[in-house]
Amino acid sequence: MPPQPRPGILATEPYQGGEKELPGFSRVARLASNENPFGASPRALEAYETAREGLNRYPDGHSAALRTAIGEVHGLDPARIVCGAGSDELIGLLTEAYAGPGDRVVYSRHGFLMYPIFATTAGATPVAAPEANLTTDVDAILARVTPETRAVFLANPNNPTGSYLSRASLERLHAGLPEDVLLVIDAAYAEYATAGDYSDGAELAARSGNVVVTRTFSKIYGLAGLRIGWAYGPPGIVDVLNRVRMPFNVATPAQEAGAAAVQDRDFVARSVAHNTQWRAWFRERAQAAGIEALPSEANFVLLRFADEDAAERALSTFKAGGVLVRQMGKYGLPDCLRVSIGGSEDMHMAADALDAFAGQPG
């Protein structure tokens, strides 16, 4: 018999990203992966080009300059920051470090797919808590916490629903958890949130021994191709992450581009303003076409159709108009499609596709 992996590994279905190509179109509106339509900051691109001269050297294994830049911008202690190859890596390391066979990992039913995938591959049992109107239900999560629970994962704002928990709700969730249960707040879309009572959770992590916040450079900073993420948490958990991560997990060009990107506040402000404007515009266009467009605090809008068949027909209509969006069946939302906020031309193409769908019989 050949070598066998741990049972949980073969029990998972590999994660599938959004579609990238649509044959037959000279221009495609790629609205399936929540990417920044502006690309990367010019300062980040310049730093990336400069870094090419040192590719024969190992990167700084501590990402010191990147952590310092993040700390300065966000008002955080760099010693409590860990950088990784995307926030995905850090979420996976946290799962493996704190959960295993016989343990439970709780997450919101329509949360990021990687939470149950990481839990299962670690040998733990993923436990999905029901949501209330496609929003994380604090009471439902707390009701599923048992002595075997080792971690709770929360995306805030949530992907793919776009909903969020307020600062007060985060505090209530944390207050209801045992001290030995890790609360991971995945704030990948924090920069896009405009609600006045939103918090990325950093203030909670600053004074708690069991809270970690993860962030990413893949969204607002337009650096998805470089795979950069970071986590902020208590010293003990940061120490654990530094022990289990790879020694050179963030490449030099990524560190240099990331440090430049996080300091380019004008680029971030322009990206946020664009997203806020076109997110509202697209929701209005969808609703005018008779399609439910859920409120969102992220850089995408979730569309909910009458049923799964209608969602499939809408998907075909989007593709016929040269627009790629994301199916939501794997998230338990077969009647929904997620549409990223792209450039102005992209959004007009998407809205035209919705109008075409609305004009179809049945």
Side-chain angles (χ1 to χ4, degrees):
M1 180 178 291
Q4 297 296 303
R6 295 196 310 270
I9 294 175
L10 295 182
T12 62
E13 184 177 344
Y15 180 84
Q16 298 291 329
E19 293 182 271
K20 299 180 179 181
E21 298 179 352
L22 193 56
F25 287 87
S26 57
R27 187 189 188 285
V28 176
R30 289 177 49 174
L31 306 179
S33 299
N34 304 338
E35 297 157 334
N36 190 327
F38 293 156
S41 154
R43 290 171 61 177
L45 294 175
E46 181 180 357
Y48 178 84
E49 285 296 324
T50 301
R52 63 191 292 181
E53 299 177 4
L55 295 185
N56 61 313
R57 305 297 184 187
Y58 280 101
D60 172 13
H62 301 286
S63 300
L66 177 55
R67 289 189 297 108
T68 297
I70 293 170
E72 290 177 351
V73 169
H74 292 280
L76 304 174
D77 180 1
R80 296 178 60 172
I81 295 172
V82 182
C83 295
S87 56
D88 285 356
E89 181 196 24
L90 298 168
I91 291 170
L93 290 174
L94 286 166
T95 307
E96 293 176 6
Y98 288 94
D103 297 331
R104 292 158 57 99
V105 173
V106 180
Y107 66 102
S108 192
R109 172 65 182 90
H110 303 299
F112 186 35
L113 282 179
M114 290 308 300
Y115 306 151
I117 288 176
F118 281 135
T120 304
T121 56
T125 299
V127 178
E131 296 185 354
N133 193 27
L134 297 185
T135 301
T136 299
D137 187 326
V138 171
D139 292 322
I141 288 180
L142 293 177
R144 282 155 181 78
V145 174
T146 70
E148 293 73 37
T149 302
R150 294 292 172 265
V152 171
F153 285 95
L154 170 71
N156 199 41
N158 186 57
N159 172 28
T161 62
S163 57
Y164 77 104
L165 285 187
S166 67
R167 178 182 290 101
S169 294
L170 279 182
E171 294 280 356
R172 188 164 73 86
L173 173 59
H174 176 251
L177 294 175
E179 292 183 358
D180 64 347
V181 172
L182 176 66
L183 174 60
V184 180
I185 302 171
D186 178 1
Y189 300 92
E191 291 88 355
Y192 295 108
T194 55
D197 59 351
Y198 172 78
S199 169
D200 68 356
E203 57 199 43
L204 188 58
R207 54 181 167 80
S208 305
N210 63 337
V211 179
V212 176
V213 175
T214 62
R215 301 286 291 267
T216 183
F217 280 80
S218 297
K219 309 304 178 184
I220 195 73
Y221 297 113
L223 295 175
L226 285 185
R227 312 307 304 129
I228 320 169
W230 56 279
Y232 171 74
I237 296 177
V238 167
D239 177 61
V240 169
L241 281 173
N242 280 322
R243 290 172 186 270
V244 298
R245 68 176 176 83
M246 296 297 287
F248 303 106
N249 59 333
V250 184
T252 298
Q255 292 186 37
E256 297 292 339
V262 76
Q263 296 175 85
D264 193 344
R265 306 312 294 164
D266 290 340
F267 178 83
V268 171
R270 183 164 68 96
S271 297
V272 171
H274 173 90
N275 186 77
T276 302
Q277 174 189 347
W278 287 95
R279 183 175 64 192
W281 180 89
F282 184 68
R283 287 192 67 223
E284 291 176 0
R285 285 291 300 266
Q287 292 165 345
I291 300 164
E292 183 180 6
L294 277 72
S296 174
E297 290 294 319
N299 67 336
F300 54 81
V301 171
L302 188 70
L303 302 177
R304 184 157 55 183
F305 297 85
D307 50 35
E308 183 176 356
D309 179 67
E312 287 291 337
R313 289 190 290 108
L315 179 65
S316 296
T317 306
F318 273 119
K319 288 186 174 181
V323 182
L324 289 174
V325 300
R326 189 71 178 271
Q327 291 175 295
M328 290 288 103
K330 293 187 182 299
Y331 283 89
L333 298 168
D335 58 344
C336 295
L337 298 175
R338 190 191 67 194
V339 184
S340 305
I341 302 304
S344 56
E345 184 177 351
D346 297 329
M347 300 318 295
H348 278 285
M349 292 171 64
D352 290 345
L354 287 182
D355 290 341
F357 169 78
Q360 296 174 6

